Amino acid sequence: MLAGEFINRKSVLELFLKKYAGITIALTILVAWGSVLWFLLHWQVDFISPLTYLAVLVMMHLYTGLFITAHDAMHGVVAPGNKRLNTVIGTLTAGLFAYNYYPRLFPKHHQHHRHVATDKDPDYHGGNFFLWFFSFARQYITVGQILLMASTFHLLQLWFPLENIILFWMVPAVLATFQLFYFGTYLPHRGVHEPENKHKSGTQQRNHLWAFLSCYFFGYHYEHHDKPYLPWWQLYKEKDRREGAKETR
């Protein structure tokens, strides 16, 4: 009887986690970003200590997680059974990342998927890295964002030390922007025009630890374009499936 009850409870828990996994993971990233940032804004900065620079990298990774969560919301996979909640989470996570505006990002991202690596793709540019990044930034960075960031920067100085704000609030957001561009746009789409590549997208070699650290598995980019309904935390499974299929040929 006890064994049966345990199995039933385990099944219920598994079903709950499966149904609400996207929301749970999104909230985990949100809480981690907020709590770590709060801690670091109060932290005594020591420019000699390597922990200071490790903290910057941790915040960069969490900022990237915010944007990846907003990206998944654009595909409706954060809260697939609740469109309104999915939009709220996407809007919140995008906004916390340097005041990105979700309703502006949403149509541009789907335009990217419909017209990948063409003149109609807002994420694509045929030039070198710097020209491409400049074109990318023009598409997504607005004067309103800059003004809001400047206002928040001055407001935060009322409560927190200047070096903490710069190191742990500003710098990680800038670094995460480069990280997302490099691993999520530039590397996957540069020079990929082979007719047999229907998604005009490359993919990282299979290394799940590096794929997670570099961009939340978003370097598995062909897999994302092939199955955009998969959340970021399922892309490694699709990578395994595709690589396994190649090995059996």
Side-chain angles (χ1 to χ4, degrees):
M1 185 67 180
L2 289 175
E5 288 180 2
F6 175 77
I7 292 172
N8 287 335
R9 288 177 181 176
K10 184 180 179 182
S11 299
V12 170
L13 179 62
E14 288 175 348
L15 286 171
F16 177 85
L17 291 174
K18 185 176 181 180
K19 184 176 181 180
Y20 298 105
I23 299 171
T24 303
I25 291 170
L27 291 179
T28 300
I29 291 172
L30 271 166
V31 171
W33 176 85
S35 56
V36 173
L37 178 60
W38 182 257
F39 171 79
L40 291 174
L41 286 174
H42 291 85
W43 197 39
Q44 181 64 48
V45 172
D46 178 1
F47 287 100
I48 298 176
S49 173
L51 290 176
T52 298
Y53 305 99
L54 177 62
V56 173
L57 293 177
V58 169
M59 279 308 304
M60 177 185 74
H61 188 67
L62 291 173
Y63 264 106
T64 301
L66 286 181
F67 194 87
I68 294 296
T69 301
H71 163 268
D72 271 9
M74 294 176 211
H75 289 284
V77 298
V78 173
N82 190 327
K83 186 176 180 180
R84 180 175 294 181
L85 179 59
N86 185 83
T87 301
V88 167
I89 293 174
T91 302
L92 178 61
T93 50
L96 290 173
F97 192 134
Y99 293 104
N100 281 286
Y101 187 48
Y102 184 81
R104 175 182 167 84
L105 297 177
F106 186 93
K108 285 183 176 290
H109 185 65
H110 285 279
Q111 185 178 349
H112 163 67
H113 273 266
R114 288 193 302 270
H115 305 289
V116 61
T118 69
D119 292 340
K120 295 180 180 179
D121 181 356
D123 293 4
Y124 183 74
H125 189 277
N128 61 38
F129 175 86
F130 297 102
L131 289 175
W132 194 335
F133 181 77
F134 179 71
S135 172
F136 182 83
R138 276 198 314 170
Q139 289 288 336
Y140 292 103
I141 298 175
T142 67
V143 174
Q145 277 179 265
I146 296 171
L147 292 175
L148 284 169
M149 287 290 287
S151 300
T152 305
F153 173 74
H154 289 294
L155 190 62
L156 287 172
Q157 290 182 63
L158 297 175
W159 298 286
F160 306 111
L162 178 62
E163 59 268 25
N164 293 62
I165 299 169
I166 294 173
L167 277 174
F168 306 126
W169 182 68
M170 290 183 64
V171 171
V174 173
L175 292 176
T177 300
F178 279 100
Q179 181 183 12
L180 285 159
F181 170 73
Y182 185 73
F183 290 104
T185 298
Y186 177 72
L187 282 184
H189 295 300
R190 61 172 182 170
V192 182
H193 295 287
E194 299 87 351
E196 64 273 14
N197 189 326
K198 61 180 179 179
H199 299 302
K200 297 184 177 65
S201 303
T203 186
Q204 285 180 340
Q205 291 186 343
R206 182 165 53 172
N207 183 325
H208 296 333
L209 177 60
W210 173 240
F212 171 69
L213 292 175
S214 61
C215 205
Y216 289 74
F217 302 121
F218 210 57
Y220 296 155
H221 209 73
Y222 184 94
E223 289 75 9
H224 166 60
H225 275 265
D226 195 51
K227 291 183 171 57
Y229 53 82
L230 288 179
W232 69 262
W233 42 273
Q234 293 281 0
L235 286 174
Y236 78 93
K237 294 181 181 179
E238 177 61 14
K239 181 69 171 181
D240 285 342
R241 188 196 66 79
R242 290 189 71 243
E243 293 294 324
K246 287 180 183 179
E247 291 169 2
T248 56
R249 288 175 186 171

